């Protein structure tokens, strides 16, 4: 239904996300409404679409879905607008006099013949000046929004555009609506294209094709590649825009000639195209790696055999030969890469390198790509570790503070979970490393690559620029971990023999509904009763996919109902169709460096990070309190709540950088190419003590046999080799 009227009162407004509770005065009634508005104030004349709902505490309210500005047309509407106080110097009494004198034409008088208002008792020159100025400011915004509404742009979207372009908004949109796809957050090519069609821009207009080319090329960010083959760019552009191949080719050439596209000779000599940011990142990283490789400075560690004995004695272990070689590589090279699967001693090596550095007075910092991985690094080394973003003092507006002009002050940087680093993060890190800084990358080259573009760890190894040491011997639990052994079999393409009497179990279920019920029973009852695992703190459910019966979304809904059902004493909150309840297990899904936290010891600070898991302890007064696994508590308003998701189940990709006492892996999705060996290996290696796979056995075997990773286009390795050959 629709309601049209004047905003008579704003009861509550969240300045962060625009959530508003107010009263709309229509010709017939006064109605309480709720919803999120980009900008709203008392006196605005609006049409709201939505529905009446019964709030358990506040009774009947109108829940707004969409809204738009209107020009008041009736005397009652004009009176409500004028008497709202939105124009200085006009109250109810003056508004009545204006209506009596000018009727519904009063707004036109204010805009076009304001001097006539001086005839009204109580309005002098100073008051008139304030009225006309305020009305002009509101009218500019309102006119822009009304003009854009003709092209199907909502009031909220129009306000966002107005904030970007001001009074030039309409002329910008009419001149080239495709500008908004690259300049205004939340507006992609598809939305701009729909607007352009309503304006009347031809489908083969060069502006449309150029914007389409950019949109297709920016698909590199999603697909993980840093560039796109010319033929693929032409084909995808023609297909996406429904134009001829010739038209696409012509505009690609034209865009390259004026510097809008970055063209390079690809690996086979054919032309490839880069998004400019990815070209700069890849080139910057390659040059930095080549220079690190050329730096032959060795650390003076004296008798290395004696040092190794001291490290072994201090740690109470025996280092195998590959572990000793890894420590030696960190001493003798400015750039080292140490790789290994689960149980091969990567954490031991990091600690050994730290002891070696400390013994000779070398300062070092520890970093990882995610907050969860950095936290694990802190726990296993006893040294403070941070995310790479925090080390580089990332600001959401201005980017990284630390760079070549303000480098990191340390002798060495040790990077864990290096397989998760994308090309842009690598470039930022290397740019901020001062000349002479040693860098050690530690990771598992067999895990999934980064979510962002690039194939960093694999390319660093392939470039032969780094001293690379693979760790080969399993040490975990005196080589008794079946999880580790089976993980090695999986990555070799061998289907392991599973007897379900070890820490690695497989429960075959062909029906996804049956598998779902089995999984819920295992998590809520089976593992807790048999092994003593807490379903909230010890067990993590993983799944390769988000949707479907065994997808993360349905798993979270099902597990929430089972493990944390609704109850009168549990408060709830809904944000963008997500239901959160006190007692829910949740995960932070993006870094928030400004979110305040406190702990039981009275410590306070800022920063909650992507991958952090916790429990909702309280929902009250529009705020949600979460207690994380490190005992820190943070409070979220409605806007910040968008950074949380239920975490009873998470995707395999989201679990990277984490380890859990017990993992339950739900397998579904058929024989999709996406379900491959590397994804299965990554999931399996998240479990420390117990792994249970539930699903179709055929999918398990298919994943092991499917070694076709999604190929990522990258020239980092070849660029490094080229720079090394040039002696740069």
């Amino acid at each position: 239904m629709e309601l049209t009227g004047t905003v008579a009162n704003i009861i509550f407004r969240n300045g962060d996300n625009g959530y508003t509770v107010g009263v709309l005065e229509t010709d017939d009634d006064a109605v309480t409404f709720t919803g999120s508005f980009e900008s709203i104030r008392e006196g605005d004349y609006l049409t709201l679409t939505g529905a009446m709902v019964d709030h358990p505490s506040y009774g009947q309210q109108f829940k707004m879905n969409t809204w738009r500005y209107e020009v008041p047309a009736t005397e009652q509407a004009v009176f409500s607008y004028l008497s709202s106080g939105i124009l200085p110097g006009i109250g109810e009494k003056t508004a009545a006099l204006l209506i009596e004198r000018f009727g519904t034409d009063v707004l036109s008088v204010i805009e076009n013949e304001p001097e006539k208002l001086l005839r009204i008792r109580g309005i002098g020159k100073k008051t008139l000046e304030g009225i006309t100025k305020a009305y002009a400011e509101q009218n500019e915004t309102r006119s822009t929004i009304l003009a854009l509404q003709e092209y199907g742009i909502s009031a909220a979207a129009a306000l966002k555009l107005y904030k970007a372009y001001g009074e030039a908004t309409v002329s910008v949109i009419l001149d080239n609506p495709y500008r908004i796809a690259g300049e205004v957050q939340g507006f992609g090519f598809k939305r701009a294209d729909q607007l352009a069609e309503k304006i009347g821009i031809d489908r083969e207009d060069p502006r449309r094709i150029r914007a389409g080319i950019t949109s297709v090329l920016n698909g590199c960010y999603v697909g993980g590649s840093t560039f796109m083959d010319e033929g693929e760019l032409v084909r995808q552009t023609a297909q996406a825009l429904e134009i001829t191949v010739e038209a696409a080719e012509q505009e690609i050439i034209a865009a390259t000639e004026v510097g809008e596209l970055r063209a390079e000779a690809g690996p086979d000599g054919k032309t490839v195209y880069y998004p400019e940011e990815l070209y700069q990142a890849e080139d910057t990283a390659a040059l930095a790696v080549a220079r690190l490789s050329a730096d032959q400075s060795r650390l003076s560690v004296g008798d290395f055999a004696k040092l190794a004995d001291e490290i072994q004695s201090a740690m109470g272990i025996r280092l195998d030969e590959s572990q000793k070689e890894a420590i030696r590589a960190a001493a003798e090279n400015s750039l080292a890469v140490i790789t290994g699967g689960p149980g091969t001693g990567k954490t031991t090596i990091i600690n050994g390198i730290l002891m070696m550095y400390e013994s000779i007075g070398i300062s070092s910092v520890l970093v990882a790509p995610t907050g969860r991985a950095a936290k694990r690094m802190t726990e296993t080394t006893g040294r403070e570790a941070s995310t790479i973003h925090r080390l580089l003092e990332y600001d959401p507006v201005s980017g990284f503070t630390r760079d070549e002009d303000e480098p990191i002050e340390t002798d060495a940087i040790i990077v864990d979970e290096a397989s998760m680093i994308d090309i842009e993060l690598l470039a930022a890190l290397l740019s901020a490393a001062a000349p002479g800084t040693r860098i050690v990358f530690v990771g598992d080259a067999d895990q999934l690559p980064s979510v962002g573009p690039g194939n960093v760890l694999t390319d660093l190894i392939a470039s032969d620029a780094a001293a690379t040491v693979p760790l080969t011997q399993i040490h975990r639990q005196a080589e008794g971990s079946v999880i580790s052994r089976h993980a090695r079999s999986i990555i070799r393409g061998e289907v392991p023999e599973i007897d379900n009497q070890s820490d690695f179990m497989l429960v075959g279920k062909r029906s996804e509904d049956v598998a779902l019920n089995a999984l819920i029973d295992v998590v809520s009852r089976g593992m807790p009763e048999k092994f003593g695992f807490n379903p909230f703190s010890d067990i993590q459910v993983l799944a390769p996919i988000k949707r479907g019966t065994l997808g993360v979304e349905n798993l979270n809904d099902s597990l929430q109902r089972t493990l944390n059902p609704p109850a009168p004493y549990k408060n709830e909150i809904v944000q963008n169709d997500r239901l959160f309840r006190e007692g829910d297990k949740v995960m932070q899904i993006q870094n928030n460096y400004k979110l305040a936290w406190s702990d039981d010891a009275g410590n306070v600070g800022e920063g909650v990070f992507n991958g952090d898991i916790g429990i909702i302890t309280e929902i009250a007064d529009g705020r949600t309190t979460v207690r994380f696994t490190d005992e820190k508590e943070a409070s979220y308003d409605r806007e910040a709540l968008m950074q949380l998701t239920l975490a009873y189940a998470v995707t395999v990709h989201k679990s990277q950088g984490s380890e859990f006492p017990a993992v339950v892996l739900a397998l579904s999705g058929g024989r999709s190419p996406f379900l491959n060996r590397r994804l299965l290996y990554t999931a399996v290696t998240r479990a420390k003590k117990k792994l249970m796979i539930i699903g179709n056995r055929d999918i398990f075997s298919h994943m092991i046999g499917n070694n076709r990773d999604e190929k990522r286009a990258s020239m980092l390795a070849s660029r490094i080799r080229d720079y090394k050959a040039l002696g740069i």
Side-chain angles (χ1 to χ4, degrees), residues 3 57 68 77 179 257 306 334 379 389 395 397 449 463 479 482 546 557 609 639 645 649 686 699:
L3 292 178
S57 301
R68 64 181 183 269
R179 278 183 59 180
E257 288 176 347
K306 181 181 178 182
S334 293
E379 293 166 355
H389 281 76
D395 181 89
V397 177
S463 72
E479 301 186 356
V482 177
K546 291 183 178 180
D557 290 342
F609 304 108
E639 178 70 14
T645 189
R686 300 308 91 204
I699 297 174

Side-chain angles (χ1 to χ4, degrees), residues 534 536-537 564 581-587 613-618 624-629 632-634 648:
N534 184 306
F536 287 87
S537 58
N564 189 35
R581 181 178 296 131
E582 288 176 345
D584 273 338
K585 181 179 181 179
V586 292
M587 174 186 279
I613 291 176
I615 302 294
I616 294 177
T617 57
E618 183 182 38
T624 302
T625 302
V626 178
R627 188 175 186 86
F628 291 97
T629 52
K632 294 175 181 176
E633 281 194 349
Y648 299 101

Side-chain angles (χ1 to χ4, degrees), residues 246-261:
E246 291 74 21
E249 288 176 335
Q250 181 179 330
E251 288 305 324
I252 287 172
I253 293 170
T256 305
E257 288 176 347
V258 297
E260 292 180 4
L261 292 181

Side-chain angles (χ1 to χ4, degrees), residues 102-120:
F102 301 110
T104 56
D105 292 332
V106 64
L107 299 181
S108 176
V109 171
I110 294 173
E111 183 175 0
N112 301 307
E113 302 173 284
E115 66 280 356
K116 289 185 177 180
L117 269 63
L118 294 171
R119 304 171 189 172
I120 303 299

Side-chain angles (χ1 to χ4, degrees), residues 690-717:
K690 189 71 65 175
L691 170 73
M692 180 176 287
I693 301 174
I694 299 177
N696 194 319
R697 288 177 180 269
D698 291 343
I699 297 174
F700 178 72
S701 299
H702 162 73
M703 293 179 75
I704 295 173
N706 179 16
N707 198 29
R708 294 177 298 167
D709 291 335
E710 185 178 347
K711 189 174 181 181
R712 294 187 166 202
S714 166
M715 290 202 294
L716 177 62

Side-chain angles (χ1 to χ4, degrees), residues 214-282:
T214 300
S215 176
V216 169
L217 189 57
N218 283 342
C220 288
Y221 290 95
V222 177
S225 295
T226 57
F227 64 82
M228 185 175 287
D229 175 82
E230 181 178 33
E232 187 69 8
L233 178 59
V234 170
R235 184 188 66 78
Q236 286 195 29
T237 300
Q239 185 178 48
L241 303 187
E242 297 179 340
I243 59 175
T244 64
V245 167
E246 291 74 21
E249 288 176 335
Q250 181 179 330
E251 288 305 324
I252 287 172
I253 293 170
T256 305
E257 288 176 347
V258 297
E260 292 180 4
L261 292 181
R262 170 73 68 164
E264 288 277 299
D268 57 1
K270 295 181 180 179
T271 302
V272 299
Y273 290 89
Y274 279 83
E276 183 63 28
E277 293 85 354
L278 295 186
Y279 170 80
Q280 294 295 342
E282 191 174 273

Side-chain angles (χ1 to χ4, degrees), residues 93-160:
K93 188 175 180 179
T94 304
L97 291 172
L98 288 168
I99 295 292
E100 182 182 341
R101 182 66 178 265
F102 301 110
T104 56
D105 292 332
V106 64
L107 299 181
S108 176
V109 171
I110 294 173
E111 183 175 0
N112 301 307
E113 302 173 284
E115 66 280 356
K116 289 185 177 180
L117 269 63
L118 294 171
R119 304 171 189 172
I120 303 299
R121 188 170 63 254
I123 297 181
K125 289 185 178 181
K126 189 172 183 180
T127 300
L128 178 62
E129 184 179 341
I131 291 171
T132 54
K133 182 180 179 182
Y135 187 81
E137 291 174 351
Q138 296 162 26
N139 200 40
E140 183 180 304
T141 306
R142 185 168 53 251
S143 297
T144 298
I145 291 170
L146 289 171
L148 293 182
Q149 283 176 356
E150 293 183 22
Y151 300 105
I153 299 178
S154 69
L159 277 167
K160 187 176 286 188

Side-chain angles (χ1 to χ4, degrees), residues 588 592-597 605-608 628 634-636 640 643:
Q588 177 81 14
N592 185 334
Y593 297 95
K594 300 298 182 181
L595 187 62
W597 57 260
E606 291 183 334
V608 179
F628 291 97
S635 178
Y636 292 74
Q643 300 169 17

